[in-house]
Amino acid sequence: MYRMLIINPGSTSTKIAVYDDLNPVFVETLRHSAEELAPYATIFDQYEFRKNVIIKAVEEKGIDLGTLNAVVGRGGLLKPIEGGTYSVNENMIEDLKIGVQGQHASNLGGVIAFEIAKKYNIPSFIVDPVVVDEMQDVARISGMPEIERKSIFHALNQKAVAKRYAKEKGVKYEDLNLIVAHMGGGISVGAHKKGRVVDVNNALDGEGPFSPERSGGLPVGDLVKMCFSGKYTQDEIKKKITGKGGLVAYLGTNDGREVKKMMEEGNKEAELIYKAMAYQVAKEIGSCAAVLKGEVDAIILTGGLAYGEEYVSWIKERISFIAPVVAYPGEDEMLALAEGGLRVLKGEEAAKEYK
């Protein structure tokens, strides 16, 4: 049995867990008030504070940190890397410190994991950060030389459910062609070809289906007119794309349950918008089927929206001709991180080196 500490920092909280293999000993969310975080000018400045809060919380549960076999942190905004579990090394620490692709609380995951693990002479890992990039060259071409398509998606959950599906079927993830649609606050649909995500929409920055909080791809000409209309600042336009787009813009909520309630009360606009979101997801899945030349072993629907049976049925009716459709509702980032660490500890895969 292997015991792991899992660390997943968010902007105002840090999720932690201790797993014995894949059995959670405890899972807890440590909240950080605005007052607690106020003294720290940058995210990295919070490192010592968060590390101490984590250690205290684990010890209060009666768990001896000396019994750990590894510490696994959420991967941050590193340089683009292929998917997998990575050993945390000095190169990674440096890139997380400076925020080589931007500052985000998840950058602290690998750093804190490394420091705790170092004290007990055990390994530290990160697993499938959002910067996982396995796109084939042809998929990077946008149609405008100044703009290259980027791979930014829900790599941790997409890879986790794909590997879970393969394990249940008794085959290797690397032997399958899968399409995975992660449907949460943002929506990403990836074409997984023999263990690599060879094409995926940029779920953060205005590409692919619209989602509860994001606009997805838009008619470019009309967007250009909006940008130069004088009515909006650059920040306001960016907020319309990510944060205040999608369901929020149309219906004033990012909660699928609220939309369902509107529909039950006879709100026809809510029904149309919700169906349109399912329609766009189905269309993106069809696009991925073309990427895989129709050779698709399964389509996996995951994320919070996959709990909605009616919503899932609207997608299924458009895509079930392509391949069998499987739903793994929700996302369990802590379990996904534990799975990634355990695969390495058990020797099922080798930890990769960040360069």
Side-chain angles (χ1 to χ4, degrees):
M1 187 185 73
Y2 294 96
R3 174 165 282 189
M4 297 168 287
L5 171 61
I6 313 297
I7 301 169
N8 185 357
S11 54
T12 59
S13 66
T14 306
K15 288 182 185 173
I16 61 168
V18 169
Y19 277 80
D20 285 343
D21 286 350
L22 298 181
N23 303 307
V25 178
F26 82 91
V27 181
E28 189 168 327
T29 300
L30 309 173
R31 309 279 176 194
H32 313 306
S33 68
E35 292 76 26
E36 286 176 315
L37 298 179
Y40 307 107
T42 68
I43 285 169
F44 188 76
D45 290 342
Q46 299 171 17
Y47 150 73
E48 197 72 39
F49 161 72
R50 294 215 197 199
K51 184 185 83 171
N52 291 336
V53 168
I54 290 166
I55 291 170
K56 182 169 179 261
V58 174
E59 288 176 344
E60 282 177 353
K61 295 286 182 186
I63 292 172
D64 178 2
L65 289 164
T67 64
L68 296 173
N69 298 104
V71 186
V72 186
R74 179 74 189 269
L77 297 175
L78 296 158
K79 290 178 287 205
I81 53 177
E82 65 178 15
T85 298
Y86 284 76
S87 293
V88 183
N89 60 19
E90 296 292 351
N91 291 336
M92 185 185 292
I93 295 293
E94 191 56 35
D95 282 354
L96 290 171
K97 279 182 183 177
I98 64 174
V100 68
Q101 286 213 77
Q103 293 292 342
H104 189 271
S106 61
N107 289 9
L108 293 170
V111 182
I112 296 171
F114 181 78
E115 288 301 323
I116 293 175
K118 188 168 74 173
K119 183 177 177 183
Y120 296 96
N121 198 29
I122 56 175
S124 54
F125 306 115
I126 65 159
V127 183
D128 290 323
V130 293
V131 295
V132 165
D133 185 351
E134 300 167 336
M135 280 172 71
Q136 52 194 351
D137 289 343
V138 70
R140 298 183 192 280
I141 308 302
S142 70
M144 192 177 285
E146 297 86 350
I147 300 172
E148 184 178 86
R149 291 187 66 235
K150 292 186 180 75
S151 173
I152 298 178
F153 70 111
H154 305 89
L156 182 61
N157 193 44
Q158 280 213 26
K159 289 272 190 179
V161 295
K163 289 174 181 177
R164 212 169 291 160
Y165 173 82
K167 195 170 185 180
E168 287 174 9
K169 294 294 176 184
V171 293
K172 288 184 177 178
Y173 167 56
E174 292 77 14
D175 290 337
L176 294 173
N177 283 352
L178 303 168
I179 298 170
V180 183
H182 173 100
M183 304 177 297
I187 292 176
S188 62
V189 184
H192 296 235
K193 183 180 182 181
K194 308 299 186 207
R196 296 177 67 82
V197 183
V198 295
D199 203 345
V200 65
N201 64 294
N202 180 338
L204 186 65
D205 212 14
E207 198 182 39
F210 75 83
S211 75
E213 297 176 349
R214 298 170 195 175
S215 70
L218 297 165
V220 179
D222 291 333
L223 180 62
V224 169
K225 286 175 190 171
M226 277 185 76
C227 290
F228 289 91
S229 67
K231 294 179 183 176
Y232 309 97
T233 66
Q234 181 177 333
D235 282 346
E236 284 170 340
I237 290 287
K238 285 171 79 173
K239 202 72 179 168
K240 278 181 165 291
I241 293 169
T242 304
K244 292 186 176 176
L247 290 186
V248 169
Y250 283 106
L251 303 173
T253 180
N254 62 359
D255 191 333
R257 294 165 299 185
E258 285 290 317
V259 180
K260 189 85 167 57
K261 193 176 171 190
M262 291 179 191
M263 288 163 50
E264 287 166 356
E265 291 168 354
N267 187 325
K268 292 298 180 188
E269 188 197 4
E271 183 177 353
L272 175 65
I273 301 304
Y274 213 39
K275 279 186 172 176
M277 190 166 69
Y279 171 87
Q280 290 197 5
V281 171
K283 199 160 71 159
E284 194 74 13
I285 289 168
S287 169
C288 283
V291 168
L292 297 172
K293 300 179 181 176
E295 296 172 8
V296 184
D297 293 299
I299 298 164
I300 300 172
L301 306 179
T302 186
L305 291 172
Y307 282 113
E309 291 180 12
E310 187 175 32
Y311 179 78
V312 165
S313 74
W314 293 336
I315 297 171
K316 276 186 174 180
E317 67 187 20
R318 294 184 183 277
I319 56 148
S320 54
F321 73 94
I322 298 170
V325 183
V326 185
Y328 290 93
E331 64 176 308
D332 193 335
E333 291 178 339
M334 305 305 276
L335 177 60
L337 291 167
E339 287 173 332
L342 188 62
R343 283 192 296 270
V344 171
L345 291 173
K346 283 187 164 182
E348 293 172 6
E349 66 181 62
K352 295 178 178 175
E353 184 184 357
Y354 182 79
K355 294 174 181 175

